[in-house]
Amino acid sequence: MDDGADEVRSQPVIDADELVVGYPSADEPVIDGQTLAVPKGEVTALIGPNGSGKSTLLKGLANRLEPNDGRVLLDGRRIDSFESKELARKLGRLSQQNTAPDTISVEELVERGRYPHRGFFESQSDGDKEAVDEAITMAGVEHLRDREVGTLSGGQTQLVWIAMALAQDTDVLLLDEPTTFLDPRHQLEVMRVVGTLRDESETTVVLVLHDISQAARYADSVVALKQGSIHASGPPEVVVTEDLLADVFDIDAKVIETEHGPVMVPLNPIDANHPSQTGETEVLQRGDGSRNGQE
């Protein structure tokens, strides 16, 4: 790829500036004054412990939660200035919980992804049919096309939902924990689709992942969150380190460099109050100068 193409891919498609996002029922915001630039045409993985604000940040980027302060720009335009269908033609989001009638067929569900491209009374066009066919093929669910969604396994169902998101044909796709609860094969299938989107269509993908090694292998950029703040961001080899795993996840872990990126091997939780912790772990907990100060 030439330098000009590299420059285009590195431009941010989403800019979050001093973003503050929370829920009406909570006294304090979950995301408090965070700034993030999502590079165009790349895969960005959000990692962090439970409750760190990953899904909330994703909802803020998708305009599913109205910010208390700050702003989000999509291609240089405030995201809250888009009308709903206009935004849905540019940005797609797949949440953790998705529901559909058990009796709907796979093809019918994927067709629902075309709603932003049609009027209320317009029938499916040749372009819609082509987009649905391409999405089903890319997600690897062609053999399930005529099956009812209620008869599918969890992994198959997740791939079908991803196919629906692909049929939406957006420039940006946000995925909230797309591999959680899936077996290894279906996790690999999901991440294969993510890689294909980036490499063949230059779609920008932002996804929440719990598997740190998976994030390091497939993402171009990794953003680590802790208690609603962005603790570190950058290439996987810079972010996924033993120091960061101690600081953000409170674990003693070994990071092994491989040809597929850093692989994390968890060893022990860091807990000074636990009687079984070793002296070495206590040093990591208290900080010996090597694991403190990472921002």
Side-chain angles (χ1 to χ4, degrees):
M1 185 175 293
D2 59 32
D3 293 339
D6 284 336
E7 183 177 350
V8 170
R9 287 176 67 93
S10 64
Q11 293 176 351
V13 65
I14 298 178
D15 270 306
D17 183 32
E18 296 294 327
L19 190 64
V20 179
V21 183
Y23 299 90
S25 59
D27 295 331
E28 300 293 333
V30 177
I31 301 296
D32 193 1
Q34 299 304 296
T35 296
L36 175 67
V38 176
K40 185 180 182 67
E42 295 187 5
V43 175
T44 297
L46 307 181
I47 64 172
N50 292 340
S52 60
K54 303 182 297 295
S55 295
T56 302
L57 176 58
L58 204 70
K59 290 176 183 176
L61 298 180
N63 201 37
R64 294 300 181 97
L65 280 176
E66 183 178 353
N68 299 332
D69 202 358
R71 65 178 187 175
V72 176
L73 303 180
L74 176 62
D75 283 334
R77 176 179 164 188
R78 287 188 66 108
I79 198 168
D80 54 8
S81 72
F82 288 85
E83 295 182 355
S84 59
K85 269 198 170 185
E86 182 186 15
L87 180 59
R89 289 192 291 269
K90 294 184 68 67
L91 183 147
R93 174 180 171 269
L94 192 62
S95 65
Q96 296 178 37
Q97 291 86 26
N98 305 287
T99 58
D102 287 344
T103 56
I104 192 173
S105 73
V106 166
E107 183 174 5
E108 289 170 332
L109 181 58
V110 177
E111 286 174 356
R112 292 189 176 186
R114 298 301 298 166
Y115 87 92
H117 303 274
R118 298 203 305 264
F120 285 110
F121 302 106
E122 291 181 7
S123 58
Q124 193 176 44
S125 67
D126 290 341
D128 292 329
K129 293 176 182 177
E130 182 178 348
V132 168
D133 288 342
E134 289 180 356
I136 287 175
T137 299
M138 184 180 293
V141 293
E142 177 65 46
H143 61 297
L144 303 173
R145 179 188 286 263
D146 298 322
R147 289 268 300 274
E148 293 184 350
V149 170
T151 68
L152 305 180
S153 70
Q156 291 172 331
T157 302
Q158 182 71 331
L159 288 170
V160 170
W161 281 108
I162 289 175
M164 189 196 74
L166 298 179
Q168 197 171 328
D169 192 22
T170 58
D171 298 328
V172 181
L173 184 59
L174 309 182
L175 303 173
D176 195 357
E177 300 187 21
T179 61
T180 300
F181 304 125
L182 301 187
D183 60 58
R185 173 172 177 167
H186 284 100
Q187 289 186 34
L188 290 171
E189 287 286 349
V190 169
M191 298 310 298
R192 173 191 61 79
V193 174
V194 169
T196 301
L197 277 173
R198 172 193 57 200
D199 299 337
E200 297 185 7
S201 64
E202 296 189 354
T203 300
T204 302
V205 181
V206 183
L207 71 169
V208 173
L209 290 174
H210 278 293
D211 189 320
I212 300 169
S213 297
Q214 199 173 72
R217 176 180 178 183
Y218 289 98
D220 301 293
S221 300
V222 175
V223 178
L225 290 96
K226 181 177 182 179
Q227 295 178 348
S229 297
I230 296 175
H231 194 80
S233 64
E237 61 272 16
V238 173
V239 175
V240 182
T241 65
E242 294 170 9
D243 290 350
L244 179 127
L245 295 172
D247 290 339
V248 172
F249 290 90
D250 294 325
I251 59 171
D252 182 17
K254 181 71 174 176
V255 175
I256 303 171
E257 297 295 335
T258 76
E259 62 179 315
H260 303 295
V263 173
M264 186 271 288
V265 181
L267 301 176
N268 292 295
I270 296 176
D271 182 359
N273 297 319
H274 198 290
S276 67
Q277 294 302 304
T278 64
E280 178 186 2
T281 302
E282 290 176 0
V283 169
L284 298 177
Q285 166 75 13
R286 296 169 185 168
D288 62 354
S290 64
R291 294 200 174 182
N292 277 344
Q294 177 136 3
E295 298 297 337

